[in-house]
Amino acid sequence: MKTLDQVTKDIKEFKVQGANQIALYGLSFLKDVAVKNGFGDKFKTASRHLKQARPTAVVLHNCIDIVKSDRKITTIDSLIDTLNTVGKREAVYSDRIIANNSKIITYCHSGEAMSFIKHAWKTHGKKLAVIACKTDPLEQGITTAREIARERIPVTLIDDNAIGFFIKSIDMVVVGADALRKEGVVNKIGTSLLAQAANSASKPVYVVANSLKIDKRKKFKIEERPATEIKKSIHARMYGIKIRNPAFDITPWEHVTNIVNENGIFTTKQFARLL
Ligand code: RUB
């Protein structure tokens, strides 16, 4: 069994990425802790550290809060099962959103957005083409492009700077989310600019994000990541220069067309009631 330090380091250093995968990784460690030691001090310490590892992605926070109040291994198992199957449950709605011959642009790497797009192709037989934005600074869009290519869906990888160039040629934006808050959709830094570009070009923006991503925390923090993630791509000495590297931004609700979760397709007005 890994130590708490190792698991926290793995999460911080992107051994796992995407809100659901982070939660699954954290939950499976917490299950081991609880099986060995129960839900006492060790569990509480581990929970606290894991919540801080990637503070913006709310799924792990929500799951930990549920487990802390239930104090049952079966609750952990059922959360793991939910997170493993939620993508499939949402994907059935792709038929109603993704028309044949759609050109879709996506951002970063979201397991939920991936399931949604792949389901439209594989199960509903829609012809598609996908644009994956590279997503600086960690280039997680390359993972997306590879995953889409493995399905033999035509895919083009673009630099984030090229969004304005391509936006008029696409039919829709499909992205995931780290947290759904009353201020808007929290997702990888740059998502809000993509949504803004889509709005200016009158293209719809769909967010695929399960209900464990609803974020009612009062204290909310956009994670700032190490400057080295940015510096490494510049290869230059930068004395006296402050570097900021926020990992996420917030897309305001007025730039979102629909939210899709395991219960269906929602307008932002309908969804606002849940927040
Ligand atoms: C990944 C990211 C993803 C969401 C949703 O950020 O922004 O779009 O987490 O992913 P990071 P999923 O790489 O910093 O974790 O749908 O897999 O939960």
Side-chain angles (χ1 to χ4, degrees):
M1 181 177 157
K2 287 192 172 185
T3 63
L4 173 60
D5 281 351
Q6 284 166 332
V7 173
T8 310
K9 191 167 177 274
D10 287 349
I11 291 177
K12 280 189 176 161
E13 294 181 356
F14 277 85
K15 184 163 183 225
V16 281
Q17 69 88 50
N20 290 342
Q21 290 305 317
I22 292 168
L24 281 166
Y25 199 68
L27 279 175
S28 77
F29 175 73
L30 286 173
K31 180 178 170 180
D32 290 343
V33 174
V35 167
K36 261 188 150 178
N37 312 287
F39 292 92
D41 285 349
K42 279 205 167 145
F43 184 87
K44 282 184 198 150
T45 306
S47 298
R48 201 176 58 248
H49 282 270
L50 290 178
K51 275 186 171 190
Q52 285 158 4
R54 300 289 314 274
T56 308
V58 75
V59 185
L60 184 55
H61 288 248
N62 284 342
C63 290
I64 287 174
D65 287 349
I66 294 168
V67 175
K68 269 169 121 181
S69 85
D70 272 18
R71 298 168 71 87
K72 285 186 195 138
I73 301 291
T74 49
T75 304
I76 304 182
D77 286 335
S78 107
L79 287 166
I80 290 175
D81 184 58
T82 301
L83 290 172
N84 277 324
T85 55
V86 79
K88 275 193 190 143
R89 289 167 63 200
E90 292 160 345
V92 297
Y93 302 108
S94 61
D95 195 27
R96 284 162 49 190
I97 286 192
I98 302 180
N100 203 25
N101 292 316
S102 288
K103 292 197 188 91
I104 302 168
I105 189 165
T106 187
Y107 200 79
C108 195
H109 180 262
S110 153
E112 289 183 73
M114 289 293 93
S115 301
F116 200 71
I117 294 168
K118 289 193 297 191
H119 192 85
W121 168 266
K122 267 209 274 207
T123 310
H124 299 305
K126 304 285 170 76
K127 283 200 184 111
L128 305 176
V130 173
I131 292 181
C133 301
K134 192 174 76 175
T135 315
D136 273 335
L138 294 179
E139 304 183 338
Q140 290 142 289
I142 296 177
T143 306
T144 297
R146 287 202 183 112
E147 191 173 328
I148 295 287
R150 270 199 300 276
E151 297 296 326
R152 304 204 181 284
I153 303 173
V155 59
T156 306
L157 180 69
I158 64 166
D159 198 90
D160 307 339
N161 298 329
I163 286 172
F165 182 89
F166 287 102
I167 200 73
K168 286 206 176 93
S169 69
I170 57 97
D171 296 301
M172 67 185 75
V173 174
V174 176
V175 289
D178 286 85
L180 304 168
R181 294 184 56 83
K182 46 177 192 338
E183 303 92 317
V185 173
V186 185
N187 196 46
K188 181 57 59 176
I189 190 85
T191 306
S192 71
L193 286 176
L194 171 60
Q196 214 172 304
N199 267 246
S200 306
S202 304
K203 307 290 179 175
V205 175
Y206 300 107
V207 177
V208 190
N210 72 78
S211 39
L212 282 165
K213 290 182 172 175
I214 292 174
D215 187 355
K216 295 188 176 173
R217 289 175 292 183
K218 284 209 178 81
K219 272 196 191 158
F220 170 71
K221 188 172 159 196
I222 295 278
E223 175 189 354
E224 286 253 357
R225 297 200 46 87
T228 44
E229 289 180 356
I230 295 201
K231 261 200 291 198
K232 77 165 191 246
S233 57
I234 298 175
H235 305 296
R237 288 183 186 180
M238 286 186 283
Y239 299 125
I241 299 170
K242 182 175 180 180
I243 294 174
R244 296 278 313 270
N245 184 16
F248 303 100
D249 62 21
I250 304 181
T251 300
W253 287 109
E254 57 268 29
H255 288 173
V256 176
T257 310
N258 288 110
I259 287 278
V260 182
N261 71 16
E262 67 278 19
N263 302 313
I265 303 169
F266 298 86
T267 62
T268 52
K269 255 197 189 156
Q270 290 168 321
F271 204 76
R273 282 185 226 127
L274 303 174
L275 301 165

